Structure formats: structure tokens, C-alpha cells
Amino acid sequence: MRLYNTLSGHTEEFTARDGEALMYVCGITPYSDSHLGHAMSYVIFDTLRRYLEYRGLKVKHVQNYTDIDDKLIARAGREGVPMDEVAERYIREFERDTAALNILPAHIYPRATQEIPAIIEMIEGLIEKGYAYPSQPRDGSSDVYYRVEKKADYGKLSKRSLDSMLSGARIEPLEGKENPMDFTLWKGAKPGEPSWDSPWGPGRPGWHIECSAMSLRHLGKQIDLHGGGLDLVFPHHENEIAQTEAYTGEAPFSRFWVHNGFLQMGEEKMSKSLGNLITMREAIDRFGPDGVRIFILGSSYRKPLTYSEEAMAAAKVAAERLRVAVTCEDGGTGDPVDGAPYKERFIAAMEDDLNTSAAIAVLFDLAREINRARDAGRAVGEAQSTMRELAGVLGLRLEAADESLAAAPFVDLLIELRKELREAKQYALADRIRTGLAELGIVLEDGAGGTSWKSA
Ligand SMILES: [Zn+2]
């Protein structure tokens, strides 16, 4: 397929070197509810993966959890609980919501806190090669910085030179840096924050090094595709490239860099800091998983996507239209509808830089023909299975509304009540909730980070 590569600035033929595409997608920082902007990114990369697999390519997909971070530390502090408890809670939510959205799970979900030795090893290697240096120690620990001037092609992904970055940047105090653009690989410990022992004293990894180290450890020196939101191009992905290529001595770190556009609320980006969020859960509850996917895939993945209630509602209705066409009873035995030309058009659209909006348009054309043909007494069974197959490539289930999904907020409420009952040592009542839910087909699972549930 042809895919736009941010690194080259061109649309290129995507191939995997060894029949298996190695794909790394930057994951979430689990410090609060995931929102529709996250859904957008993960639905897009899920659809890309599904399509590559549909075309017979094996894909190995790694996606990290940044489970050590300033925002996580702050949240844990406010709640008075350990950081890993907060991370565990939002990782569970993310897994629940992405499963509801029919997003295939990554093959490996490395967590920063579980990869510290690999991260330290990489930083040590960068220091040895002259690409990194520790700052003056204070209170027995140092920061470690990456030396951007040493990497001659620093800026090649975001297409900027070091000079232009410097002139555009706010002049910040160097704080032990040789160059204001040098970025942090390791942060010396601050009192009260989680830290790990290292050759530079206690501290914790910076954000960028985490992805380089995990990608190297789980996928090797060079990968085929690295994905994430457009906001990650600089500095995050630029810095990943700098770190990995300096450490391994091989370039490019990733052959393809694929970025999705922002989700916007009106003129603004949907983000936690702006407080204009629609959570994944809310979107799924209101518009259904297929509705959310159709909304996201209904426009170009590289362009900004603007949220509106009307567009979401229209996507929900559209999903229902497809569902009716794919599940309707066969019209008869006469002159069967041929799905093959639709399949060809669908594939041609997807080959063209993942043109999902054109692919969805093909599904609607096919739905229309199925509806007309059925009314005319023609056989539509085969066309329906083609349609189901193609919808599956877009991750659409086209099933009747899931009752258990609508019940989700009530189940969550009961779980909360059960927790409070247990804390009050009202074990009989707490167990009554568990057994009552079990009778309704809802199974509770208690874990270190809280209770999760699934419908049996
Ligand atoms: Zn990353």
C-alpha cells in the first residue's frame, strides 16, 4: 500500500523487510480518563494494522504505557495513593474502552517502570559514545542530557534545523545544559518522588528515552513503522530518532513515520489541559463503538477532525444503516449481487494512503445495492458476506446494540458500592452484589489496582 511518510515527506510504497511489519505506536500516560482524541489515534493505527494483516502481512505491534510522569506523580499525590495504583486504574480503563472500540490489543504493552534496566543501559551507551552527559550532581544525583549538536541530522523528522529551533525557542536557563535544546534522558530524584538507582544516583527516566529503549528491546534496532499523533513529531519522535540512531549506529530507526491529525473541538485541540474533553467511555456509550469508528474513519487520518454532536449522531445512524444491510434477510434466489467490484474499490481506496473515507463510501454503495436487490427478490447473501469482511477491516462489528455496554455505568456504580461495603466490613452485602451480578452474566475480577468486570 502507499503510505505518507513524515520522514521523507512523500507518499511511498509500504513494505515490510522480512514479511513481518514491526510497528511501534506511542501509548498513553495513564493519569486520567482516555478521551476521544486518544480513540482517534488508536482507531487509526488499529485500522492500518488490520488492513496490513488483511493483505497477508504479519504485524508485530508494540505500544507503551508511560507509567512514570509528572502528571501521574501529581495525581497520586492529590489522591494520597501510590503512583502505580493510579496508573493501574487508568490502564484498565484504557484496555476496557479500547476493547469496546474493537481495537486489537498490541502484542506487547511495555511499561516504563518495568524497563528501567534497559533504559539505563541505553543512556550509559549514549554517554560512552559522547551523545550524552550528566550534569553537576546535587544532593547525590545528576540529570543526564542528550547532546543535540553531536547528531548532525537532528531535526530531520520535523524538518527544522538546530539554529531555527534555537531562534524560535524561549531562552530558558541552561540548568547545567551545554545547549538549550539538549533534552533530558534521566532526571535526578526529587524528594518524595518515585526513583530508581542508577550510575548517576537515584532518579527516573525522561519520556523520550523510554520509547527508544522499549522499541529497541522488543522490536530490535530498526523497525518498519512508528506511529503517533502529529503533536509527537517534535520533540518526542525527533528525540527518539536521535537517541536510537546514535545508540545503534543504524539509520533509519524507523523506515516509516506515520502521524494522525488532531481531534478538534471547534477551533481548539481536544486536550486535558483545555478541559474540552469527551471521554472514550462517554462517546462509546452515546454513539456506539461502530458509530465512533465511522466518525473517526470518515475523514482523512492526516487532517484535523472536528468533533460535533451532529457528526457523531450521523455516524451512529450510518453504522445502523450498514448493520441493517448486512443482517437483512436474503431477498430470494434470483440474480445474485456481485460483491467483487466493491471489494476491488475498497482495496484501491485503502491502498491509497489509508483512504478510509473512500472505503466507507464503498460500503454505503454496497449497502444501497443490497437493499435494492433484496426488494427486487435477488440473492444478497454473498454480497453481505463481502460487506461483513470489508467492514471487519475497518474494525466495524455491525452487531445489534450491545446491552451490556449500555449497562456499563450501572455496573461501575455497583462495583464502587461493593468496595465501600467491603471497607465498612459489610461483607455479606458486598458478596450479594457480586453474586447478583454473576447471575446477570457479569463477572467481577479483583486485582491489585481495583476491580474490573466482563460480561460472561
Ligand atoms: Zn513514544
Side-chain angles (χ1 to χ4, degrees):
M1 75 183 296
R2 299 189 53 81
L3 208 50
Y4 182 81
N5 185 353
T6 309
L7 184 60
S8 69
H10 299 292
T11 306
E12 297 171 58
E13 188 65 28
F14 179 80
T15 50
R17 283 165 308 166
D18 304 315
E20 183 181 39
L22 304 177
M23 170 167 120
Y24 186 96
V25 179
C26 290
I28 57 159
T29 301
Y31 77 105
S32 70
D33 296 322
S34 293
H35 57 77
L36 201 54
H38 297 116
M40 177 181 177
S41 193
Y42 298 116
V43 162
I44 285 165
F45 288 103
D46 176 62
T47 305
L48 176 57
R49 172 178 159 191
R50 282 173 181 274
Y51 182 69
L52 294 173
E53 288 176 344
Y54 178 66
R55 300 296 278 160
L57 208 58
K58 248 185 102 180
V59 178
K60 188 170 180 190
H61 172 190
V62 175
Q63 188 171 306
N64 65 304
Y65 287 119
T66 300
D67 63 347
I68 167 92
D69 166 271
D70 289 339
K71 295 184 287 266
L72 251 169
I73 293 170
R75 173 124 201 178
R78 281 200 304 277
E79 290 187 16
V81 298
M83 184 184 69
D84 55 352
E85 192 179 313
V86 176
E88 190 66 36
R89 181 197 316 152
Y90 290 110
I91 286 172
R92 275 164 185 276
E93 272 194 17
F94 179 78
E95 286 175 351
R96 182 194 66 189
D97 294 346
T98 48
L101 278 176
N102 204 20
I103 290 170
L104 295 170
H107 298 99
I108 306 172
Y109 284 107
R111 300 187 188 189
T113 58
Q114 292 168 7
E115 307 269 335
I116 302 291
I119 292 170
I120 289 177
E121 196 183 317
M122 196 165 193
I123 298 174
E124 282 186 301
L126 288 170
I127 293 176
E128 263 165 45
K129 292 183 173 195
Y131 283 98
Y133 57 94
S135 68
Q136 282 293 336
R138 48 175 160 65
D139 306 328
S141 68
S142 301
D143 299 329
V144 181
Y145 296 116
Y146 187 95
R147 184 176 276 133
V148 290
E149 278 172 62
K150 168 97 177 162
K151 183 98 165 63
D153 58 3
Y154 184 71
K156 66 179 172 182
L157 181 73
S158 54
K159 319 286 180 226
R160 26 182 146 178
S161 67
L162 208 44
D163 284 345
S164 71
M165 290 177 205
L166 283 170
S167 63
R170 268 186 305 142
I171 304 301
E172 288 179 26
L174 284 173
E175 285 174 353
K177 292 183 193 178
E178 294 172 1
N179 182 309
M181 295 312 293
D182 288 353
F183 57 89
T184 308
L185 300 175
W186 186 263
K187 294 180 191 189
K190 291 193 187 125
E193 290 187 0
S195 64
W196 289 263
D197 285 333
S198 82
W200 318 286
R204 60 183 167 100
W207 172 35
H208 315 301
I209 192 71
E210 161 196 332
C211 285
S212 281
M214 293 184 199
S215 175
L216 180 67
R217 175 147 177 256
H218 296 287
L219 293 171
K221 289 180 178 177
Q222 282 185 297
I223 64 174
D224 297 295
L225 197 155
H226 194 122
L230 207 50
D231 51 339
L232 297 183
V233 172
F234 189 88
H236 185 53
H237 288 165
E238 194 72 66
N239 292 352
E240 280 189 43
I241 290 176
Q243 293 161 157
T244 303
E245 292 183 358
Y247 182 78
T248 64
E250 287 176 34
F253 157 36
S254 177
R255 293 166 52 241
F256 276 74
W257 287 84
V258 178
H259 294 100
N260 66 273
F262 296 118
L263 181 65
Q264 294 188 317
M265 292 292 271
E267 296 295 301
E268 286 176 321
K269 182 188 161 194
M270 184 179 281
S271 77
K272 174 92 182 153
S273 51
L274 292 172
N276 56 0
L277 292 186
I278 308 286
T279 65
M280 266 206 229
R281 173 54 39 186
E282 186 187 346
I284 295 166
D285 286 346
R286 290 183 56 203
F287 305 105
D290 286 346
V292 173
R293 288 189 79 112
I294 287 178
F295 168 71
I296 292 167
L297 298 174
S299 61
S300 164
Y301 77 88
R302 290 203 276 136
K303 298 223 177 84
L305 175 63
T306 302
Y307 175 89
S308 77
E309 297 273 316
E310 297 74 28
M312 292 294 290
K316 184 182 182 182
V317 172
E320 181 61 15
R321 274 220 310 276
L322 294 179
R323 188 187 72 75
V324 167
V326 95
T327 53
C328 70
E329 268 188 44
D330 212 337
T333 51
D335 187 19
V337 174
D338 184 7
Y342 293 95
K343 186 165 163 175
E344 244 171 66
R345 280 173 55 206
F346 180 93
I347 290 172
M350 295 293 276
E351 290 285 309
D352 177 20
D353 195 22
L354 201 74
N355 189 344
T356 50
S357 65
I360 289 175
V362 173
L363 290 185
F364 281 107
D365 289 346
L366 180 53
R368 246 189 312 276
E369 177 159 5
I370 287 173
N371 290 337
R372 270 203 303 262
R374 184 205 47 206
D375 293 345
R378 292 168 60 194
V380 298
E382 274 181 42
Q384 282 177 316
S385 43
T386 301
M387 189 168 159
R388 194 171 279 289
E389 174 186 319
L390 301 180
V393 176
L394 301 179
L396 303 175
R397 295 192 189 94
L398 302 185
E399 288 163 354
D402 185 349
E403 298 296 329
S404 69
L405 212 63
F410 304 104
V411 176
D412 289 342
L413 178 64
L414 284 168
I415 288 175
E416 192 56 40
L417 278 174
R418 173 170 168 264
K419 182 171 165 240
E420 284 168 20
L421 286 168
R422 285 165 65 100
E423 281 161 7
K425 302 203 178 351
Q426 302 266 345
Y427 295 114
L429 273 176
D431 285 346
R432 174 82 186 84
I433 289 178
R434 171 190 276 280
T435 50
L437 283 171
E439 282 160 18
L440 296 169
I442 305 276
V443 181
L444 301 190
E445 283 170 356
D446 294 318
T451 302
S452 64
W453 63 273
K454 60 175 191 235
S455 38

